[in-house]
Amino acid sequence: MRPSKCYWHHPDQEEQSTCKQQLFNLVYTHATNHFQQRNYDSASRFFSAAHMYSEEGNKAKTARVLAVCNLGMKALDRALEYVDIATQTEPTSVFNAFLRLKVHLLQKDCRAAANQVQAMMKCEDFTHEILRVAAQEAMGAEQTVVAKQALLQLWDLVEKDSNGTFQPGDQAVIMSNLVKITQDDQSDVSLYMDELSAIYNQGADRLEEVGYDGFFGADTSGSTLDGTESARHAVEVYDKVISLNNFVQDFPLLAEFARKMIWQDIHAAEHRKQSISLS
């Protein structure tokens, strides 16, 4: 009696892809659980395994998470290696540039971090929100040069905004942070005064261009006030902008500037009213 033949099933390409995706999902989910518990060492090992089974669409994402794990472990060079791996698959992703920025901030490499601010703006998926986060990260790392660059780029985008991307009041918050950073760095008094003067002049021009509500933000009811009442109301709105700002709290020079500009217009409006009544 002849032994029966064994027939091996050779999975086709679609079946192999499905199996790889299932393995990827299983390992990636397990790695995520460790990551959420901030157990970065274990998370890194499982994410590395997940990366082996990842299809093209998941390779960059997994590499970026591995970079974050290594950031958590202060393995900065290794984190950069994983960012490079992610860049091979998604060379124009703004998240790769942002992760490089975080690494360079931790390395205290101001020039390299500043270069990444420019790199982020050239990425296909760039949005102005990433500049906000970059400025906050730089301020947290006490890298004021990088923070100022991100804020100046934001200010430039606000001035060129024709699509309503920014909200009323955003300009005042950006300017507040620029003033704060400039105040904190007074190593060169002459340069310090020149920079403050430039910021104030830009703010004055922008305030004249977009008006009080456009610069400081509309009131809570959404109505727009005219003349003297609008100017008085702008002082209150400005105070609200300061109180709501979540990473800068004290702007005495800007407050003085804002009130000076506003009250000048109040007096001018009152003078116009008197002239009209006399005529």
Side-chain angles (χ1 to χ4, degrees):
M1 183 176 179
R2 292 182 178 180
S4 59
K5 294 182 179 181
C6 293
Y7 295 94
W8 294 95
H9 172 65
H10 296 283
D12 57 27
Q13 188 172 359
E14 183 178 352
E15 288 177 316
Q16 290 179 18
S17 179
T18 300
C19 289
K20 283 184 67 176
Q21 185 63 44
Q22 290 173 342
L23 282 170
F24 170 81
N25 291 340
L26 180 66
V27 180
Y28 192 93
T29 300
H30 189 68
T32 301
N33 292 333
H34 284 278
F35 182 84
Q36 290 173 342
Q37 297 171 18
R38 299 187 179 184
N39 189 352
Y40 298 123
D41 184 38
S42 296
S44 179
R45 291 200 298 270
F46 284 107
F47 278 126
S48 295
H51 190 264
M52 294 173 56
Y53 295 107
S54 61
E55 298 287 346
E56 196 70 18
N58 290 319
K59 285 188 178 299
K61 177 183 75 171
T62 310
R64 282 193 291 268
V65 179
L66 279 162
V68 175
C69 286
N70 281 274
L71 277 173
M73 294 185 291
K74 307 300 182 185
L76 303 183
D77 290 339
R78 186 62 173 157
L80 279 177
E81 290 177 10
Y82 279 114
V83 176
D84 290 338
I85 292 172
T87 304
Q88 292 173 8
T89 307
E90 295 180 0
T92 61
S93 172
V94 71
F95 301 109
N96 297 337
F98 178 73
L99 283 173
R100 281 200 178 90
L101 171 75
K102 282 184 66 70
V103 173
H104 294 318
L105 287 174
L106 290 172
Q107 291 175 331
K108 306 297 183 183
D109 190 339
C110 180
R111 180 176 297 181
N115 288 339
Q116 291 309 310
V117 173
Q118 297 296 326
M120 288 191 299
M121 297 186 66
K122 297 177 182 178
C123 294
E124 293 180 355
D125 50 351
F126 168 79
T127 68
H128 72 274
E129 291 295 339
I130 199 73
L131 281 178
R132 294 179 190 269
V133 180
Q136 191 166 358
E137 290 281 343
M139 292 176 77
E142 298 182 347
Q143 297 292 320
T144 56
V145 172
V146 182
K148 184 178 291 187
Q149 182 176 353
L151 289 168
L152 287 172
Q153 295 292 352
L154 268 175
W155 182 269
D156 189 53
L157 290 175
V158 169
E159 291 192 320
K160 296 176 180 178
D161 181 32
S162 59
N163 301 319
T165 303
F166 291 85
Q167 299 297 316
D170 284 351
Q171 296 160 335
V173 175
I174 295 169
M175 185 175 174
S176 299
N177 286 282
L178 280 170
V179 171
K180 173 61 177 173
I181 290 174
T182 305
Q183 283 182 287
D184 287 345
D185 183 13
Q186 301 183 27
S187 55
D188 186 327
V189 176
S190 177
L191 180 61
Y192 160 71
M193 295 305 297
D194 288 344
E195 289 183 350
L196 273 185
S197 177
I199 294 170
Y200 288 158
N201 287 333
Q202 282 184 303
D205 292 342
R206 191 61 177 168
L207 180 61
E208 182 178 357
E209 180 183 346
V210 301
Y212 301 110
D213 289 336
F215 190 85
F216 293 112
D219 66 339
T220 53
S221 64
S223 62
T224 301
L225 305 176
D226 295 321
T228 304
E229 287 304 314
S230 178
R232 294 180 189 277
H233 175 67
V235 177
E236 300 175 2
V237 173
Y238 175 75
D239 289 337
K240 290 179 182 178
V241 170
I242 290 180
S243 65
L244 292 175
N245 188 357
N246 64 349
F247 59 103
V248 176
Q249 299 175 351
D250 183 25
F251 323 113
L253 291 180
L254 181 58
E256 182 64 25
F257 158 78
R259 286 179 172 83
K260 181 178 179 181
M261 293 299 300
I262 291 167
W263 288 110
Q264 280 180 349
D265 279 25
I266 289 175
H267 295 319
E270 291 174 343
H271 179 73
R272 286 193 296 271
K273 285 184 179 180
Q274 291 175 1
S275 300
I276 292 172
S277 62
L278 290 174
S279 62

